Amino acid sequence: MTLDIKICGLRTVEAVRVAADAGATHIGFVLFPASVRHVPLATLGDLLREVPSHVQTVAVLVTPDDKLIDDVLAAGRINVLQVHEVDDPVRIAALQDRTGRPVWRAQGVRTRADVDLGLAYAAVADRILFDARPDQPEPGASAVPGGTGRTFDWSLLEGVTVPGWGLSGGLTPENVGQAVRRLRPGLVDVSSGVEAARGVKSADKIVAFVAAARSA
C-alpha cells in the first residue's frame, strides 16, 4: 500500500508550495478559530489555488454545521472533509451524501476503548485518523481537539487492520519512520512536528518529514 502523507495546519502560500514540492499527498487547512493554525475563509481560496492538482486538499473541521461546510466548499477545491468531535454516523453519512466528498473521522486516543470507538466508525467514514486525545482545557478556554504535539501509546494500535487508517499526534521527522515501520498506517499526518514555532511551519522540517516517512 502506498503511504499517504498529510502536512496539516498550513497558513501561508510558501508553506503550501514547500509541502507540495516535498511530496506530500495531502495538505490540510484548519477551519477552527480556536486553533493557532486557523485559516480565515477570506484567505482560504488563495491558499487552495496554490495546491497542485495532484495533491489532495483537506478541510479540517470541528463539529461543522451545514453553513460552514457550504462556505468552505465555495472557497475552492476541497477534496476531503476531516471532522473532529462528530460522534454520529448518520451525520457523517449525511455529509458524504450532501457534499460528494470523502469524510475522515478523527478519533482522539488515550485508551484502547478510544481505539475501539474509532474502529466502530470504519463502516461509514472513509478514513479513521487516530490522534492523541488532548487534555481538558482550562475553565473558559476553548478545547482544541488536535495539534497537541504529543504522541500516545502506539501499542494501542497494534493489530489495527482497517484499510487506510491514519496516524497523527506528535509525529516528527525523527519518529515518523519508526511509526511507519511499526504500525504500517495508510497515512501519516503532521502539524506541530514540522513547525519552527507554534503555528509557523519550517520548510526544512517539512522536507525532512516527507523524506523520513517515504524511506521507512
Side-chain angles (χ1 to χ4, degrees):
M1 178 184 294
T2 301
L3 178 67
D4 289 336
I5 301 173
K6 175 169 165 270
I7 310 297
C8 196
L10 275 61
R11 298 186 301 140
T12 67
V13 167
E14 292 75 16
V16 169
R17 290 173 178 168
V18 168
D21 290 345
T25 60
H26 296 74
I27 290 177
F29 301 100
V30 176
L31 287 306
F32 185 54
S35 171
V36 69
R37 302 170 186 93
H38 170 63
V39 174
L41 284 170
T43 60
L44 178 60
D46 293 336
L47 297 176
L48 291 172
R49 281 188 287 274
E50 293 296 326
V51 182
S53 60
H54 66 277
V55 177
Q56 298 279 288
T57 58
V58 182
V60 179
L61 305 153
V62 180
T63 56
D65 59 20
D66 288 347
K67 174 64 164 58
L68 177 57
I69 295 287
D70 290 344
D71 289 344
V72 169
L73 295 182
R77 176 174 64 91
I78 294 291
N79 298 110
V80 177
L81 304 177
Q82 175 182 317
V83 296
H84 292 250
E85 299 183 2
V86 176
D87 298 326
D88 181 0
V90 174
R91 175 59 174 163
I92 291 175
L95 287 173
Q96 292 164 328
D97 291 343
R98 189 169 186 274
T99 67
R101 269 72 166 182
V103 175
W104 300 354
R105 182 181 183 274
Q107 173 64 50
V109 175
R110 191 174 292 155
T111 67
R112 178 65 200 193
D114 295 326
V115 174
D116 292 340
L117 178 59
L119 294 174
Y121 283 81
V124 59
D126 294 278
R127 174 170 260 158
I128 305 299
L129 180 65
F130 294 104
D131 195 358
R133 181 179 289 282
D135 296 329
Q136 291 296 317
E138 296 294 325
S142 297
V144 179
T148 64
R150 297 196 303 271
T151 58
F152 57 94
D153 183 359
W154 290 345
S155 70
L156 297 171
L157 296 176
E158 289 176 346
V160 170
T161 59
V162 173
W165 68 272
L167 177 65
S168 188
L171 293 177
T172 67
E174 291 74 31
N175 68 13
V176 67
Q178 177 190 357
V180 172
R181 289 188 294 272
R182 178 177 178 181
L183 300 173
R184 293 299 171 191
L187 172 139
V188 288
D189 180 14
V190 66
S191 185
S192 61
V194 291
E195 290 181 345
R198 190 165 178 260
V200 180
K201 292 296 185 281
S202 160
D204 290 343
K205 289 184 178 182
I206 290 173
V207 172
F209 183 89
V210 175
R214 288 272 176 247
S215 63

